[in-house]
Amino acid sequence: MNAQDAATKNYVDTRAVSKTGDTMTGTLDMNGRAITNLLDPSAAQGAATKSYVDKQDSAQIITLNSYVDTHAVSKSGDTMTGDLNMGGRMVKGLPVHYPPTTYLGSEASSWSQVTQLVNAEVQNAIKITKELITKELITNTPKKSYSGYVPILEENISRTGFVATASAATPGDFQAYGAFNSLNAEKSNGSWATPAKKGWLQIKCPEAVTIWRVALKARAIDGKNITEWNFSGSNDGKTFEPLLTSTTKLLGSANAPLFFDISTTTAYQYYRLAIQASTGVGDLGVQVMQLYVLST
């Protein structure tokens, strides 16, 4: 068909866009021209005017702002309404207050803060523990008594609960309890004596006690010296545990007893001085035998 040829209605209807409305079967290239006087779209695929789009953008911005305000955490401070899972990441820049006077108890603390608090608690616990240990040691540490434990005895079997015995006793006033009686004179049961050159002197206490020292003095006769001896303890009066063995001379000429420290933590009810060697002729003896105990 030539450009100037007449066209049928059908030709026009199938190729031209109808003013009453139509459907494109191909692409419409506007070639830089505008489409004006559009209605606001009512269908999802309808063309939208600039005014319509601007209104939608503004409404969308308002909606997005509202969404962000209600769902995002504000940098100026906010309150979580659910758990925050850090996914193994760190929270940094936490404040340090020490002492933590501004904390209410539920705030997250920095590592430095936690370290300071833990160290303070540890130091406080150490201080309290030391105080308790010191108090316990002071309270329960045995104390050395410097007063003699055995009282002045009036008989071998004393009303005080003590019992004095010996391997033998020189006839007359030289009974075992004389070594525990500082009131009587030398020959009036003021000393214990034995006719032998060896022998033992024993004191049974009312109860088992731990001693730390013993005082010993030979009978006050010049030349009758104890040259070898040992000191032991027992809880049945039969089996004795050695506490001290000595060759220190206990002189009859001495004016005061000698003191010997005993290293033991065991309490015994029986204490025995055993004389192994001596000088002089018979009637060997002891004027003083005194125990010094540990008490709590």
Side-chain angles (χ1 to χ4, degrees), residues 132-143 294-296:
L132 290 175
I133 291 174
T134 301
K135 183 177 180 181
E136 185 74 13
L137 288 174
I138 292 174
T139 302
N140 296 318
T141 299
K143 300 175 182 61
L294 292 172
S295 60
T296 55

Side-chain angles (χ1 to χ4, degrees), residues 72-286:
V73 177
S74 173
K75 290 177 66 175
S76 63
D78 220 326
T79 300
M80 297 294 296
T81 59
D83 295 335
L84 179 62
N85 187 341
M86 296 302 300
R89 304 301 192 274
M90 297 178 64
V91 176
K92 295 184 177 181
L94 290 170
V96 177
H97 300 289
Y98 190 80
T101 54
T102 61
Y103 283 166
L104 299 177
S106 59
E107 296 86 346
S109 299
S110 66
W111 177 249
S112 175
Q113 174 71 57
V114 172
T115 301
Q116 288 176 321
L117 289 174
V118 170
N119 287 340
E121 289 299 318
V122 169
Q123 292 302 318
N124 188 49
I126 291 174
K127 178 182 178 183
I128 293 174
T129 301
K130 285 182 177 179
E131 291 175 351
L132 290 175
I133 291 174
T134 301
K135 183 177 180 181
E136 185 74 13
L137 288 174
I138 292 174
T139 302
N140 296 318
T141 299
K143 300 175 182 61
K144 294 179 178 179
S145 173
Y146 288 85
S147 298
Y149 177 66
V150 183
I152 295 172
L153 304 187
E154 78 289 351
E155 295 287 347
N156 282 339
I157 302 176
S158 173
R159 287 170 292 181
T160 61
F162 290 84
V163 178
T165 54
S167 55
T170 299
D173 295 329
F174 296 99
Q175 298 300 306
Y177 79 90
F180 306 96
N181 189 325
S182 60
L183 299 180
N184 290 353
E186 153 67 20
K187 296 182 180 180
S188 300
N189 285 319
S191 294
W192 162 71
T194 177
K197 293 180 67 65
K198 296 182 179 181
W200 53 263
L201 174 66
Q202 175 180 293
I203 186 71
K204 178 185 177 184
C205 305
E207 60 185 0
V209 291
T210 304
I211 68 170
W212 69 278
R213 175 179 284 183
V214 61
L216 299 171
K217 182 181 180 303
R219 184 180 171 205
I221 297 180
D222 193 14
K224 295 186 181 294
N225 305 319
I226 300 172
T227 56
E228 293 183 29
W229 53 274
N230 63 63
F231 197 76
S232 57
S234 173
N235 277 313
D236 60 7
K238 298 177 182 179
T239 303
F240 283 81
E241 297 294 330
L243 301 176
L244 180 64
T245 298
S246 179
T247 56
T248 300
K249 293 181 179 180
L250 304 177
L251 302 177
S253 59
N255 294 320
L258 297 179
F259 295 87
F260 300 91
D261 288 348
I262 303 295
S263 179
T264 182
T265 57
T266 304
Y268 295 104
Q269 190 172 12
Y270 297 82
Y271 288 96
R272 176 182 288 186
L273 170 67
I275 301 169
Q276 304 298 324
S278 61
T279 61
V281 181
D283 294 334
L284 175 73
V286 175

